């Protein structure tokens, strides 16, 4: 889905003022009478320092504007091929920029903003870690792709034959690309499988669900319940001693 | 503690823990005898380790209670898989509840373990959330970076969430490793075999000069311990509230405009006004720290 | 990976042993975990190795260890990533020494 079509489908035509500026997207929208802030990346962005700071800056503006009032839900749009690969970005500490974005998302959560990520297009590795994965709920839109690395590259790096990886990928969600794999492992809360539904109503329901789990990280437990991640919850609890 | 020099770079994760903690104080959670090995590595017919490449437990440092996690860089590059990540996350959750004086993260990792890439990526995100929750509960988290794998990928992000980052020049900190950048963007973008360049772009001195590492020490486990003790009594706090984060945002933006074309640490030394930029890689950490201190005193 | 278990006769370990781990699983290296076992007259060893077809050499190295040390009553587990016999012997000795609890 391209450009404004996505936001028309999510909020209804005329009910949002989301602006797409290159790889950055942001703006206000409404769901029924609830104002919502939309912030994210666009067009399979390679997230560099400037884009990370744009996201962080917008999160901070929303938090500041709502301080003392009703914190708006924040809907993050994740469409990223991953982090920008550049010597200059490394030198300037792109990892630190991503950590900063993460802290800003955490501040929003602690300040009472419901947080929800919509994966549109693709969500890859570092670009997804920085903000998308930190929301209280993550929804994969139809045809969304989620991965660390494609199987071909993975085969080269791990020196495991591609055919073997392809066979194993059918049985296990643990390494192969796919939004459904991330669903089974608990990192994607919901898969929206068709473009036909009443998206504004579905989005409203997702935001309510996000509010219910705000501040808790339920992903490992969900992953265990869905049979995709058997050890994370058990081991973490054993070490946590709780 | 030992009175003899122990190279932190060469030491195993367990040796690092032994060198940082008070003698005999370390108690391990989920120890090797429990055999919490990775089922995913086994399924791919790859060797497993009884601790899945990370040691977690409690200890005292200079008499103060801490929780410690140490990644073993020699096992699969310290990479984070499901069990490995869950151990670190669990430790941070324990910290939020028990409120030790600090959590010490001895990072030595290239990031996500590709054999279980999805589990690893999610685990790092869970570590990020648990780390910020521990900080919000008032527990500072200190990262130590001085191993052969440095702190890259998601663990590079985790490191930068910490209140203090203690590095040696040998340690490296970044997001994408030079090999990855070279593979995708070409040798002209980043020549990963030019080791001197790699360190000028990712090494401890650059990170200290940019204020990302809070302390720079020599490659000696005793110095890492001394830095841990110093940080326990007086440490920087990671930005957390709106005012802090706005200031951090401005500082990050300023750095980008202050170094508009910079692609080599050498240019950072020059811009900072260090007396002999070319000689920086040869300086001891003491001499380098002194030069930085003098510059900040002048400013 | 190739996996096998061997139980060797060995002199009783005598003093109480504590769990000990030596080595790291990295290329050309291995980890050796020593724990208390059941039978004081034997040493039970489980090997997981990435190098296939070297069982005879393993048996020789392990038999040598069980002769040299009072390893009776111990259970040993090994994760190997292609270590040479010399490195295997060294790690077995280190883990055994550590299990006597004299280091800390």
């Amino acid at each position: 889905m391209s450009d404004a079509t996505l936001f028309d489908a999510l909020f209804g035509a005329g009910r949002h003022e989301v602006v797409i500026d290159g790889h950055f997207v942001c703006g206000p929208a409404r769901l029924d009478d609830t104002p919502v802030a939309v912030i994210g990346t666009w067009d399979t962005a390679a997230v560099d320092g400037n884009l990370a700071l744009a996201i962080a800056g917008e999160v901070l503006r929303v938090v500041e504007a709502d301080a003392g009032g009703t914190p708006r839900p924040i809907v993050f749009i994740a469409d990223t091929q991953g982090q920008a690969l550049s010597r200059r970005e490394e030198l300037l500490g792109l990892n630190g920029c991503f950590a900063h974005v993460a802290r800003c998302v955490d501040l929003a959560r602690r300040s009472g903003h419901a947080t929800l990520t919509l994966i549109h297009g693709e969500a890859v590795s570092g670009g997804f870690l920085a903000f998308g994965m930190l929301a209280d709920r993550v929804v994969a839109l139809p045809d969304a792709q989620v991965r660390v690395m494609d199987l071909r590259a993975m085969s080269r790096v791990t020196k495991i034959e591609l055919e073997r990886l392809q066979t194993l990928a059918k049985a296990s969600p643990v390494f192969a690309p796919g939004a459904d794999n991330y669903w089974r492992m608990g990192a994607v809360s919901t898969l929206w499988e068709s473009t036909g539904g009443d998206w504004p109503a579905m989005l409203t329901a997702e935001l309510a669900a996000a509010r219910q789990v705000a501040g808790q990280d339920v992903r490992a437990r969900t992953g265990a319940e869905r049979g995709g991640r058997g050890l994370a919850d058990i081991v973490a609890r054993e070490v946590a001693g709780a | 503690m030992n009175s003899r020099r122990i190279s932190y770079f060469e030491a195993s994760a367990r040796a690092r823990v032994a060198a940082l903690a008070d003698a005999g104080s370390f108690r391990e959670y989920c120890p090797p005898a429990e055999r919490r090995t990775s089922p995913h590595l086994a399924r791919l017919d790859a060797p497993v380790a009884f601790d899945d490449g990370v040691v977690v437990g409690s200890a005292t440092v200079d008499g103060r209670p801490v929780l410690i996690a140490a990644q073993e860089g020699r096992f699969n590059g310290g990479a984070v898989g499901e069990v490995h990540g869950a151990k670190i996350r669990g430790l941070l959750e324990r910290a939020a509840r028990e409120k030790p004086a600090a959590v010490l993260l001895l990072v030595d990792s290239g990031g996500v373990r590709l054999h279980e890439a999805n589990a690893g990526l999610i685990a790092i995100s869970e570590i990020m959330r648990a780390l910020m929750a521990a900080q919000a509960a008032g527990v500072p988290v200190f990262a130590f970076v001085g191993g052969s794998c440095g702190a890259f990928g998601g663990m590079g992000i985790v490191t930068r969430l910490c209140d203090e980052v203690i590095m040696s020049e040998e340690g490296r900190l970044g997001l994408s490793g030079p090999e990855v950048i070279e593979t995708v963007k070409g040798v002209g973008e980043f020549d990963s075999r030019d080791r001197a360049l790699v360190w000028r772009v990712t090494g401890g001195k650059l990170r200290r000069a940019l204020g990302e590492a809070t302390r720079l020490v020599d490659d000696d486990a005793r110095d890492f311990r001394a830095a841990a003790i110093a940080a326990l009594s007086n440490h920087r706090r990671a930005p957390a509230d709106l005012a802090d984060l706005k200031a951090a945002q401005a500082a990050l933006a300023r750095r980008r405009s202050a170094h508009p074309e910079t692609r080599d640490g050498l240019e950072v030394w020059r811009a900072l006004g260090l007396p002999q930029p070319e000689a920086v890689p040869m300086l001891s950490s003491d001499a380098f720290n002194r030069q930085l201190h003098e510059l900040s005193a002048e400013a | 990976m190739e996996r096998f278990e061997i139980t060797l006769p060995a002199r009783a370990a005598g003093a109480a042993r504590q769990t000990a781990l030596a080595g790291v699983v990295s290329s050309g290296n291995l980890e050796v975990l020593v724990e208390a076992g059941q039978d004081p007259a034997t040493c039970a060893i489980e090997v997981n190795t990435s190098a296939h077809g070297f069982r005879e050499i393993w048996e020789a190295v392990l038999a040598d260890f069980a002769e040299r040390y009072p390893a009776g009553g111990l259970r040993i587990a090994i994760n190997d990533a292609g270590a040479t016999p010399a490195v295997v012997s060294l790690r077995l000795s280190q883990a055994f020494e550590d299990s006597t609890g004299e280091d800390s």
Side-chain angles (χ1 to χ4, degrees):
Chain A
M1 216 176 282
S2 66
D3 297 19
T5 344
L6 171 70
F7 301 104
D8 287 352
L10 285 170
F11 302 105
R15 297 183 56 80
H16 66 86
E17 291 159 51
V18 178
V19 175
I20 297 161
D21 178 12
H23 288 295
F24 180 57
V25 40
C26 90
R30 300 188 77 79
L31 280 169
D32 294 325
D33 291 331
T34 308
V36 171
V38 176
I39 305 170
T41 60
W42 196 252
D43 195 16
T44 57
V47 183
D48 61 7
N50 286 334
L51 185 50
L53 289 181
I55 297 163
E58 192 54 32
V59 173
L60 293 177
R61 265 187 291 281
V62 170
V63 171
E64 187 165 30
D66 294 358
T70 309
R72 272 171 287 171
I74 301 177
V75 173
F76 292 107
I77 308 292
D79 185 1
T80 166
Q81 57 178 277
Q83 66 266 27
L85 296 171
S86 120
R87 190 168 103 199
R88 174 176 158 70
E89 290 291 348
E90 285 303 319
L91 181 139
L92 290 175
L94 187 55
N95 55 317
C97 286
F98 284 16
H100 173 69
V101 178
R103 278 202 202 92
C104 293
V105 176
D106 198 56
L107 171 73
R109 192 201 329 277
R110 284 184 284 117
S111 308
H113 296 266
T115 55
L116 171 79
T117 292
L118 300 176
I119 305 172
H120 171 252
E122 57 186 68
V124 181
S125 203
F128 188 30
L129 265 182
F131 66 101
M133 286 187 101
L134 290 170
D136 283 317
R137 252 180 115 73
V138 176
V139 172
L141 298 180
D143 302 322
Q145 183 57 265
V146 189
R147 68 170 177 275
V148 170
M149 195 182 263
D150 69 54
L151 287 188
R152 237 167 262 283
M154 203 172 276
S155 162
R156 271 200 306 276
V157 180
T158 59
K159 300 184 177 65
I160 296 166
E161 316 82 75
L162 180 60
E163 275 184 22
R164 180 118 185 273
L165 289 178
Q166 286 167 333
T167 307
L168 285 164
K170 287 183 190 127
S172 163
V174 82
F175 60 84
D180 51 340
N181 286 338
Y182 280 79
W183 180 86
R184 280 183 63 194
M185 301 186 78
V188 166
S189 324
T190 319
L191 298 164
W192 288 6
E193 276 157 348
S194 94
T195 47
D198 179 356
W199 280 15
M202 287 158 73
L203 190 52
T204 303
E206 289 291 344
L207 282 169
R211 262 197 205 85
Q212 291 223 313
V213 296
Q216 310 163 41
D217 193 338
V218 298
R219 291 175 289 181
R221 212 171 60 217
T222 308
E225 285 163 8
R226 292 175 181 173
R229 212 156 43 119
L231 284 172
D233 191 44
I234 294 169
V235 172
R237 275 200 278 169
E238 183 185 336
V239 174
Chain B
M1 261 318 280
N2 205 312
S3 55
R4 190 165 46 87
R5 175 179 178 273
I6 304 167
S7 166
Y8 186 94
F9 188 86
E10 301 286 343
S12 68
R14 288 176 188 277
R16 288 172 188 160
V17 169
L20 255 73
D22 295 342
S25 70
F26 181 67
R27 297 287 173 274
E28 186 166 358
Y29 304 125
C30 225
E34 287 188 27
R35 294 166 167 75
R36 284 291 191 196
T37 59
S38 165
H40 314 301
L41 286 175
R43 206 166 291 130
L44 289 167
D45 209 27
V48 298
F50 292 125
D51 58 14
D52 202 35
V54 66
V55 183
V56 298
S58 67
T60 61
V61 172
D62 203 25
R64 307 189 63 185
V66 297
L67 294 177
I68 299 190
Q71 296 180 297
E72 177 51 67
R74 284 178 293 173
F75 177 67
N76 277 310
V80 179
E82 179 175 2
V83 172
H84 181 122
K87 287 171 77 174
I88 299 175
R89 174 195 171 204
L91 191 79
L92 290 160
E93 289 174 345
R94 177 181 279 268
R97 200 181 70 248
E98 287 185 352
K99 303 199 169 35
V103 179
L104 315 185
L105 291 186
L106 281 54
V107 179
D108 195 355
S109 176
V112 168
R113 185 186 295 166
L114 289 179
H115 306 80
E116 38 191 304
N118 301 339
L121 188 72
I122 300 166
I124 286 176
S125 163
E126 289 169 336
I127 290 170
M128 290 167 68
R129 284 193 60 175
L131 196 158
M132 291 188 283
Q135 289 173 324
V139 181
V141 185
F142 307 154
F144 298 77
V145 183
S148 58
C149 297
F152 282 95
M155 288 310 294
I157 303 175
V158 168
T159 297
R160 287 288 282 119
L161 286 174
C162 293
D163 297 273
E164 290 254 352
V165 178
I166 295 149
M167 284 184 82
S168 63
E169 165 67 350
E170 286 78 359
R172 294 167 296 137
L173 172 59
L175 189 58
S176 307
E179 294 81 5
V180 175
I181 297 177
E182 181 183 319
T183 303
V184 179
K185 297 287 173 176
V187 69
E189 178 63 26
F190 206 158
D191 182 353
S192 66
R193 277 159 305 175
D194 185 343
R195 303 317 281 167
L197 173 67
V198 168
W199 259 265
R200 291 200 305 273
V201 171
T202 64
K205 283 186 184 130
L206 177 78
R207 295 302 173 215
R208 179 69 195 103
L210 292 175
E212 297 181 331
T214 51
R215 297 165 202 265
L216 181 77
V217 299
D218 282 332
D219 175 36
D220 186 337
R222 293 172 305 179
D223 293 357
F224 276 89
R225 174 175 154 94
I229 292 171
L232 278 167
S233 46
N234 184 17
H235 61 84
R236 184 183 73 172
R237 281 226 173 256
D241 66 14
L242 181 62
D244 287 350
L245 284 164
K246 282 173 73 176
Q249 172 93 9
L252 286 168
R254 259 200 318 277
R255 177 190 297 174
R256 299 182 74 78
S257 52
H259 301 286
E261 304 293 336
T262 309
R263 292 177 73 236
D264 188 325
L266 203 53
E267 301 162 58
V268 175
W269 314 140
R270 281 204 196 96
L272 284 171
L274 287 170
Q276 284 179 291
E278 292 78 8
V280 164
M282 313 307 289
L283 292 176
S284 71
S285 59
D286 271 354
F288 183 74
N289 286 331
R290 217 175 305 122
Q291 289 194 3
L292 280 187
H293 183 73
E294 280 162 16
L295 284 175
S296 64
E298 283 165 27
Chain C
M1 299 297 292
E2 189 172 312
R3 184 182 172 283
F4 51 86
E5 285 177 47
I6 314 176
T7 301
L8 294 163
R11 280 173 288 142
R17 298 295 177 185
Q18 64 185 30
T19 302
L21 182 80
V24 169
V25 185
S26 62
S27 183
N29 208 334
L30 77 164
E31 70 178 353
V32 175
L33 176 66
V34 174
E35 297 166 282
Q38 302 291 333
D39 177 5
T42 63
C43 176
I45 304 169
E46 177 194 337
V47 176
N48 268 289
T49 175
S50 62
H52 291 242
F54 292 93
R55 180 160 177 168
E56 278 177 27
I57 294 174
W58 276 102
E59 285 178 355
V61 171
L62 295 170
D64 177 59
F65 165 76
E67 262 169 43
R68 281 191 295 134
Y69 290 89
L74 295 183
R75 185 160 71 117
I76 295 179
I78 291 172
N79 285 318
D80 171 60
T84 61
V87 174
V88 175
S89 280
L90 175 67
R91 295 286 175 251
L92 280 165
S93 302
Q94 287 173 333
F96 182 84
E97 299 294 344
D98 287 352
S99 77
T100 63
E102 280 155 16
D103 63 326
S104 58

